Amino acid sequence: LGELFYNENYYEIALNMFKRSHHYIKLTNGNMSEKNILRNIGNTYHLSNNLDSALCYYNKSLLVCNDLTSRLDGARNLPSIG
């Protein structure tokens, strides 16, 4: 649902949906999904011009990357960080 609201520019609702998703993903220990949700939260903050929060979530996304595949995929965050 977060992506749906994100694509429709309802960023506050998207953030709530992404954060709810993140809560449930942490319970299942799904690192790849967690990384993607954290990146989505960062993207949403970025588009909302809340750059400090965006940077925080981009960095959290990179920290979740614990194997080579995740690290390579996590490198997609680097252009967003600037």
Side-chain angles (χ1 to χ4, degrees):
L1 284 175
E3 288 186 33
L4 174 72
F5 288 111
Y6 176 88
N7 290 333
E8 295 296 322
N9 300 322
Y10 293 107
Y11 300 129
E12 188 172 325
I13 298 170
L15 278 172
N16 289 331
M17 295 293 111
F18 286 136
K19 287 181 178 183
R20 287 172 103 185
S21 298
H22 182 246
H23 170 76
Y24 290 110
I25 289 298
K26 284 200 66 86
L27 295 176
T28 65
N29 200 22
N31 285 352
M32 286 297 278
S33 296
E34 182 179 7
K35 175 191 59 64
N36 291 332
I37 290 170
L38 290 169
R39 186 181 63 226
N40 288 338
I41 293 171
N43 289 341
T44 306
Y45 274 125
H46 186 226
L47 289 176
S48 299
N49 205 30
N50 193 338
L51 302 181
D52 287 342
S53 294
L55 181 60
C56 176
Y57 278 92
Y58 289 143
N59 284 328
K60 285 181 182 184
S61 176
L62 289 171
L63 290 175
V64 171
C65 302
N66 58 0
D67 61 22
L68 181 57
T69 303
S70 293
R71 281 187 233 147
L72 291 173
D73 190 49
R76 294 187 333 185
N77 290 340
L78 297 177
S80 301
I81 293 172

